[in-house]
Amino acid sequence: METTRNGQAKEEAAAARDGSICGYESLDRLLRDNLSPQVFQEVSRLLIGLNCGRTLEAVPLADSAKALSSECNFDVQAFHFTADKELLREPRVVRVGLIQNSIVLPTTASFVDQKRAIHQKVKPMIDAAGASGVNILCLQEAWMMPFAFCTREKRWCEFAEPVDGESTRFLQDLAKKYNMVIVNPILERDVNHGETIWNTAVIIGNHGNIIGKHRKNHIPRVGDFNESTYYMEGNTGHPVFETAYGKIAVNICYGRHHPLNWLAFGLNGAEIVFNPSATVGELSEPMWPIEARNAAIANSYFVGSINRIGTETFPNPFTSGDGKPQHADFGHFYGSSHFSAPDASCTPSLSRHRDGLLISDMDLNLCRQLKDKWGFRMTSRYELYADMLAQYLKPDFEPQVISDPLLHKKSS
């Protein structure tokens, strides 16, 4: 289990020996070592795209951020998405950050100590984001706890907090200190509605105020990810939050598999959509570099994809309803957090095994420029889709299938 620096070092060494190419980061390293510079450049163009026709630029990091990274053993990388210069609009450059991390203590430790240790671990990473001038920061799904929903044990509900609970208050102070908007994905306890549990993202404004919240729209029922034992589908729609730095939305974890979910945030005017997640390699890793990038392209907005890291082991073994033996963990959370842009470019990802802060400058003018270029909104046929969906929802729905009459003709 990746719960100590010692364990993390062992896991990173194993990853280096394996030469994994699942994440952008390790794939980039493999290609650089084995291809000529000219071939690498062409492969890179196809894999991570070009931003306005150019290779994505790295951004120099503040010395204080690099010092925190070294002292607290987390990676930090920074890049810059540009947009074409316009005659009537000034650039709208926003600096955005993503944090991925493992838990700290064994899941057998007291819940109070586990949560406190995660807070203490994440704080220097937020400090590094603040020192780097990050305007909007997003943490991973249910960042303040182990992702225990695989166990189906209800005692993990004790980690749930009100929207204005301990973790929110912890981040409110940092948001105010750094003039930073923070997306705070928590396990929510709705004290006003029968203590109901939700998977929620709380949006904290740059003055430390709570702007609003969004609850996870799509709940997985896939093997160990049967999260409806704890919470059901959200009831907040597809809100877009207008902040001091731009219009943002949060498509929590499993919602990334639903194209209409991405679409709805775009229709409501999102310029940046965050996808805080907790997903393991065996289940979803081949899909990870694709889905968010597709969403950014199709909806002409930026996407920030965040995934936790590590292998979390639980006290009591559990089964997955697949006939396989019981087990105490449900795989390695592979990190690989990254940004995708509406012009099909994306950043390299963070590590599969190491805590990290990914920073990107992004000119939000690029969103409208790509809408003008490709005309996806203009050429969409929403009236046809709406009619199709209305028909599909009826109990007597009949699929529009036209069969070849010869398929059913009796042979003479």
Side-chain angles (χ1 to χ4, degrees):
M1 178 180 179
E2 188 178 54
T3 54
T4 65
R5 287 192 180 182
N6 204 25
Q8 180 175 310
K10 290 180 180 177
E11 202 163 16
E12 287 182 31
R17 288 195 301 270
D18 294 341
S20 170
I21 61 170
C22 293
Y24 284 127
E25 177 202 42
S26 47
L27 178 60
D28 179 88
R29 186 166 56 248
L30 179 76
L31 294 174
R32 284 184 186 275
D33 290 344
N34 290 279
L35 299 178
S36 69
Q38 294 82 2
V39 174
F40 173 79
Q41 187 175 16
E42 179 63 10
V43 172
S44 178
R45 180 185 71 83
L46 295 173
L47 288 177
I48 63 175
L50 297 176
N51 171 228
C52 295
R54 298 179 293 276
T55 303
L56 199 65
E57 301 174 3
V59 173
L61 294 165
D63 289 340
S64 54
K66 289 189 285 188
L68 283 167
S69 167
S70 177
E71 177 185 347
C72 300
N73 192 30
F74 63 87
D75 187 21
V76 59
Q77 299 183 40
F79 300 92
H80 179 64
F81 292 104
T82 63
D84 292 332
K85 185 176 180 180
E86 298 187 15
L87 298 177
L88 300 180
R89 288 196 305 175
E90 293 296 321
R92 299 176 58 220
V93 178
V94 176
R95 180 161 288 189
V96 185
L98 312 174
I99 287 178
Q100 66 175 42
N101 59 276
S102 63
I103 60 175
V104 182
L105 299 178
T107 58
T108 52
S110 79
F111 288 1
V112 170
D113 289 344
Q114 287 188 59
K115 184 180 291 189
R116 182 181 298 120
I118 294 172
H119 283 200
Q120 291 171 349
K121 181 180 198 178
V122 168
K123 185 179 182 301
M125 302 170 76
I126 300 175
D127 289 336
S132 302
V134 167
N135 303 125
I136 307 172
L137 181 68
C138 186
L139 280 65
Q140 65 199 23
E141 182 183 21
W143 70 274
M144 24 62 78
M145 62 179 291
F147 207 74
F149 311 121
C150 54
T151 68
R152 300 184 292 281
E153 296 173 349
K154 288 303 184 79
R155 66 196 188 97
W156 304 102
C157 291
E158 290 190 47
F159 276 98
E161 307 176 5
V163 164
D164 59 353
E166 177 186 4
S167 296
T168 299
R169 294 194 299 272
F170 167 74
L171 294 177
Q172 283 179 294
D173 291 339
L174 293 167
K176 188 174 182 179
K177 177 180 179 179
Y178 293 118
N179 195 31
M180 180 192 298
V181 172
I182 301 180
V183 179
N184 170 32
I186 63 169
L187 187 65
E188 177 199 354
R189 183 176 294 279
D190 186 356
V191 295
N192 292 332
H193 294 90
E195 305 276 345
T196 304
I197 303 292
W198 303 95
N199 187 319
T200 301
V202 181
I203 313 303
I204 301 170
N206 58 308
H207 298 292
N209 56 306
I210 296 176
I211 298 175
K213 65 177 181 289
H214 173 57
R215 292 168 173 160
K216 187 173 181 176
N217 277 333
H218 297 276
I219 306 304
R221 293 165 178 84
V222 183
D224 293 335
F225 287 91
N226 194 345
E227 297 170 23
S228 56
T229 302
Y230 298 87
Y231 44 79
M232 298 299 287
E233 286 76 10
N235 58 1
T236 53
H238 296 86
V240 169
F241 303 93
E242 186 171 13
T243 74
Y245 306 113
K247 295 179 179 179
I248 67 174
V250 190
N251 185 3
I252 302 173
C253 197
Y254 193 69
R256 73 181 176 277
H257 305 309
H258 296 267
L260 292 181
N261 209 43
W262 291 109
L263 171 66
F265 292 118
L267 294 179
N268 280 330
E271 297 170 310
I272 308 168
V273 179
F274 295 100
N275 178 226
S277 301
T279 184
V280 295
E282 187 174 331
L283 184 69
S284 67
E285 197 162 11
M287 304 153 72
W288 181 252
I290 299 169
E291 290 175 305
R293 192 175 180 186
N294 283 351
I297 296 166
N299 296 286
S300 303
Y301 51 48
F302 290 92
V303 175
S305 302
I306 315 99
N307 186 27
R308 66 173 58 205
I309 62 165
T311 302
E312 301 174 357
T313 305
F314 297 94
N316 301 315
F318 50 89
T319 59
S320 305
D322 56 5
K324 295 181 180 179
Q326 62 181 359
H327 45 281
D329 69 80
F330 67 145
H332 175 72
F333 295 103
Y334 53 83
S336 303
S337 302
H338 62 280
F339 286 105
S340 305
D343 64 354
S345 62
C346 56
T347 66
S349 72
L350 290 176
S351 170
R352 299 180 75 254
H353 296 270
R354 190 182 182 198
D355 296 337
L357 166 65
L358 180 63
I359 298 170
S360 179
D361 290 343
M362 48 186 69
D363 188 340
L364 299 182
N365 282 353
L366 188 62
C367 299
R368 192 168 82 179
Q369 290 175 11
L370 267 294
K371 289 177 182 177
D372 289 348
K373 178 178 181 178
W374 284 104
F376 292 151
R377 285 285 179 266
M378 179 182 67
T379 56
S380 291
R381 297 297 304 279
Y382 299 117
E383 73 284 1
L384 292 181
Y385 313 149
D387 181 66
M388 173 62 184
L389 291 171
Q391 295 299 320
Y392 180 75
L393 291 173
K394 294 179 180 178
D396 59 351
F397 169 72
E398 292 286 342
Q400 185 182 5
V401 177
I402 300 174
S403 297
D404 182 346
L406 296 182
L407 290 175
H408 308 287
K409 186 176 180 180
K410 293 183 179 179
S411 57
S412 54

